[in-house]
Amino acid sequence: MEPPVEQRKHRRHPVNFQGVYSSGSVQVREAVVLDLSMGGCRVASTSPMLPDRAIQIRPRQTSPIYVPSAIVRWTSGYAFGVQFQELPERESKALTDLLRSLPLSGEDNT
């Protein structure tokens, strides 16, 4: 059996940022942003999430990066992966600068 083919467009960086997320029907919930890339992130929460839900993400750090539009692409228990849909220029630059300062995950995600 062949291993699954990695389909990510952006390299992931391991992080551990406290944050919050919300959507139209979900109140603000506490979360931890784990893997982070230019295209999305992995989030752990105390509440399960459904795929294809639109959310907003705001990590809590000294220079927060606000993601006004993201879509939940997969879920696994209380963790879920999101794809960023919209990233304003200011946040995109801040995210680029932050990612340049972080180590890559151990996986090859090119």
Side-chain angles (χ1 to χ4, degrees), residues 70-85:
I71 302 291
V72 176
R73 293 297 182 198
W74 60 265
T75 65
S76 178
Y78 293 99
F80 53 94
V82 299
Q83 178 182 15
F84 301 153
Q85 298 295 299

Side-chain angles (χ1 to χ4, degrees), residues 16-21 28-33 57-66:
N16 190 343
F17 295 143
Q18 297 297 314
V20 295
Y21 69 93
V28 172
R29 305 256 189 216
E30 295 291 324
V32 178
V33 177
I57 303 170
R58 184 182 303 273
R60 290 184 177 164
Q61 57 190 41
T62 52
S63 10
I65 299 165
Y66 174 58

Side-chain angles (χ1 to χ4, degrees), residues 6 9 12 29 31 34-35 41 48 50-51 59-60 69 76 78 81 95 97-98 108-110:
E6 183 65 54
K9 294 178 183 177
R12 288 182 289 165
R29 305 256 189 216
L34 299 170
D35 291 329
C41 62
L50 297 173
R60 290 184 177 164
S69 179
S76 178
Y78 293 99
L95 180 57
D97 293 345
L98 173 63
D108 181 16
N109 298 312
T110 56

Side-chain angles (χ1 to χ4, degrees), residues 5-56:
V5 176
E6 183 65 54
Q7 297 181 9
R8 297 184 191 283
K9 294 178 183 177
H10 305 281
R11 292 178 179 242
R12 288 182 289 165
H13 300 262
V15 296
N16 190 343
F17 295 143
Q18 297 297 314
V20 295
Y21 69 93
S22 62
S23 75
S25 61
V26 175
Q27 300 287 338
V28 172
R29 305 256 189 216
E30 295 291 324
V32 178
V33 177
L34 299 170
D35 291 329
L36 181 64
S37 76
M38 282 303 295
C41 62
R42 180 168 52 105
V43 177
S45 177
T46 58
S47 301
M49 181 56 81
L50 297 173
D52 300 322
R53 182 163 298 222
I55 66 171
Q56 298 176 337

